Amino acid sequence: MTFNPSTYYVWLGASCNYAHKERVSSGAYHAELGGKVIDSFICSDDHTTEFRMLLTAMIHAMETLPESSDIVFMTNVSYLQNFNREPTPDTANADLISRCRELIPKHAFVSVKIVPYHKYPVLSELHQLTHQAMEEYR
């Protein structure tokens, strides 16, 4: 894959402990520009899912990165391809998807690229960070 040096590549990862009664979940990202990490973010919450935490991380990135940016979210989670679709009454996480849709026009270009988990070590690193964040959250 060719990386454009003026595009922000935001690597997303998450974990969820479905076996724990509070069902703690965490999401995280590393934002890169020109191959260097320029921002990182981790969020955790209980009674939720990793999908909510991933969308929360996406929102944080779009709120934090400079306006008119080109942003490519890099993840192995195909669910995130729904981040820009009009929610219906049956859409899970409609509130977060709506917020993503509100933020997209702030930027020049926003997309999600689905990549293989094991090909990019940063995805494994983010998974480990989110797992650790879940442990610390409890």
Side-chain angles (χ1 to χ4, degrees), residues 77-85 112 114:
V77 181
S78 60
Y79 172 82
L80 293 180
Q81 293 177 74
N82 297 318
F83 84 104
N84 62 353
R85 294 198 178 126
V112 169
I114 306 302

Side-chain angles (χ1 to χ4, degrees), residues 62-113:
M62 286 191 280
E63 289 174 340
T64 303
L65 294 174
E67 289 190 24
S68 301
S69 297
D70 289 338
I71 303 171
V72 178
F73 289 100
M74 307 289 285
T75 183
N76 65 312
V77 181
S78 60
Y79 172 82
L80 293 180
Q81 293 177 74
N82 297 318
F83 84 104
N84 62 353
R85 294 198 178 126
E86 180 71 37
T88 69
D90 297 327
T91 300
N93 304 309
D95 59 330
L96 298 176
I97 291 171
S98 292
R99 182 65 182 142
C100 285
R101 290 173 50 84
E102 290 171 6
L103 291 168
I104 291 169
K106 174 183 170 184
H107 298 287
F109 177 79
V110 180
S111 70
V112 169
K113 172 108 175 123

